[in-house]
Amino acid sequence: MKKKKTGLWVGMVAIGVLFFGCGKINSAQNNETAVSNTDANEASGIINNTLAADNSLHTSDETDSAQMSPQINSETISLKIVDGAKKEELILAGKGANDVYSLPLKDIPVYLDGKSADASALKDGITVTISYDGSVLETFPAKLGSVDGIYAYSQISDNTAGETPYDLSGLYLKVLEDLWDTDPALNEDSQYISIDLSQAPGNLTEGEKSAIAWIFASKHNAEPMTLSYQELVDQGYVKEMAWKNGILFCIKSIGKQKKSANKQQLNFDASKWRSGDGAIFFNNCTASPTKDGIWTDYAVGNFAIS
């Protein structure tokens, strides 16, 4: 009987040791899990803080930087607003000829200088950073997929090398519209409108040129092109010094463009051409920005018609 009691006692002790050991293992695993979760949270915080620091757009404090930072899983793209800031849909442009985008403003958050802002804070001519999911609908203009924020800042400089002067596209659209309204008989039955800005002053990107052509031609229910006179001849659109179903608009730099710390002036000729005896010319045009750096108006040196 003693041996049986001893065996039973030994067995109970063994079971107790086993449970005690399991309890220590489970406790250790729980501790490891807690440490891992803590480390993961700390790592996530570091990633978020790093992204906020890297993606902030010239803001002055950490709070503004965090507000300006695109979401972690979003792609970003920087584009210039060519037109539409005062409307419900933006037309934006990048560097390449096909880098033209349309973006409805409804329900998209806007941030200016790191703080939430109304869409009215956006202006034609400024460059914005757009946060989206990385997908693009390849229409023309193209459409960005699932946009979750438009980020802008109010500081504007016309003196940055290689950049287009602020809202130069708006100035050229005004010149084109003035040409359209002059001798409107030349516009009749025009199925195509070609806008040649290949020699226009101001360092327009190919995307801005395409955007201007699309905006203007669409307004007048025509198919947009960006071909020069010679290219139209070479491709068979212009025959015997006439374009029966199209109009060519051209803005071309003349003379030396003036630029100083206090004043910048653009000098150009502008024309509307349908045939050898059907054309309008705005010659020796000059344009200077306002004190705010906005290109809003121009002067025509002399006018000619053929």
Side-chain angles (χ1 to χ4, degrees):
M1 293 294 293
K2 288 184 179 180
K3 288 184 180 180
K4 289 183 180 180
K5 287 182 179 181
T6 302
L8 178 61
W9 174 252
V10 171
M12 291 175 67
V13 169
I15 291 171
V17 171
L18 178 62
F19 277 111
F20 178 74
C22 289
K24 291 182 71 177
I25 291 172
N26 290 336
S27 177
Q29 288 176 337
N30 290 335
N31 288 338
E32 279 190 68
T33 302
V35 171
S36 298
N37 289 337
T38 300
D39 290 343
N41 291 332
E42 290 177 352
S44 178
I46 293 171
I47 291 171
N48 290 333
N49 291 335
T50 302
L51 284 170
D54 288 343
N55 290 301
S56 61
L57 299 177
H58 308 291
T59 52
S60 57
D61 56 66
E62 292 182 3
T63 301
D64 286 349
S65 294
Q67 289 176 324
M68 288 294 290
S69 300
Q71 296 180 6
I72 294 175
N73 294 321
S74 295
E75 296 285 340
T76 60
I77 185 170
S78 291
L79 300 168
K80 178 164 285 190
I81 300 176
V82 176
D83 192 37
K86 295 181 180 180
K87 305 173 186 177
E88 295 182 354
E89 186 168 10
L90 299 179
I91 302 299
L92 308 108
K95 293 183 178 180
N98 293 321
D99 294 336
V100 180
Y101 302 83
S102 64
L103 178 61
L105 286 173
K106 186 178 180 181
D107 299 328
I108 297 179
V110 174
Y111 301 91
L112 180 67
D113 297 334
K115 299 178 181 178
S116 181
D118 189 79
S120 62
L122 300 174
K123 307 294 181 185
D124 290 341
I126 68 171
T127 297
V128 296
T129 296
I130 299 170
S131 174
Y132 70 113
D133 66 4
S135 64
V136 178
L137 181 61
E138 294 183 358
T139 56
F140 193 92
K143 298 183 183 298
L144 300 172
S146 190
V147 173
D148 49 48
I150 300 173
Y151 303 86
Y153 49 94
S154 57
Q155 292 77 14
I156 298 167
S157 172
D158 288 342
N159 299 318
T160 306
E163 286 192 359
T164 307
Y166 178 46
D167 202 20
L168 184 57
S169 295
L171 172 67
Y172 287 161
L173 283 167
K174 178 177 175 57
V175 174
L176 294 170
E177 201 62 42
D178 290 344
L179 284 166
W180 178 269
D181 291 338
T182 304
D183 195 359
L186 290 179
N187 308 331
E188 293 180 1
D189 302 321
S190 53
Q191 299 175 24
Y192 301 93
I193 292 177
S194 187
I195 311 294
D196 180 10
L197 300 172
S198 60
Q199 299 182 60
N203 297 320
L204 291 168
T205 68
E206 295 304 312
E208 288 173 285
K209 296 173 188 176
S210 294
I212 290 170
W214 183 85
I215 292 167
F216 185 73
S218 297
K219 181 178 180 179
H220 298 292
N221 301 311
E223 184 175 332
M225 295 180 172
T226 56
L227 301 178
S228 66
Y229 173 80
Q230 190 57 53
E231 289 171 329
L232 290 169
V233 172
D234 292 343
Q235 296 187 28
Y237 290 100
V238 172
K239 299 177 181 178
E240 299 178 354
M241 287 290 293
W243 193 3
K244 292 184 178 181
N245 58 351
I247 313 175
L248 170 64
F249 292 82
C250 180
I251 297 176
K252 181 179 180 180
S253 175
I254 57 170
K256 187 176 181 180
Q257 306 303 315
K258 299 177 182 179
K259 184 175 182 180
S260 65
N262 299 320
K263 184 178 181 181
Q264 182 177 3
Q265 179 176 296
L266 298 180
N267 306 297
F268 58 90
D269 288 339
S271 61
K272 175 173 72 173
W273 185 93
R274 190 75 183 259
S275 66
D277 57 359
I280 300 295
F281 301 92
F282 292 174
N283 295 324
N284 299 314
C285 299
T286 58
S288 297
T290 64
K291 292 181 179 179
D292 297 329
I294 302 173
W295 299 80
T296 58
D297 212 347
Y298 69 104
V300 178
N302 55 76
F303 171 84
I305 187 170
S306 68

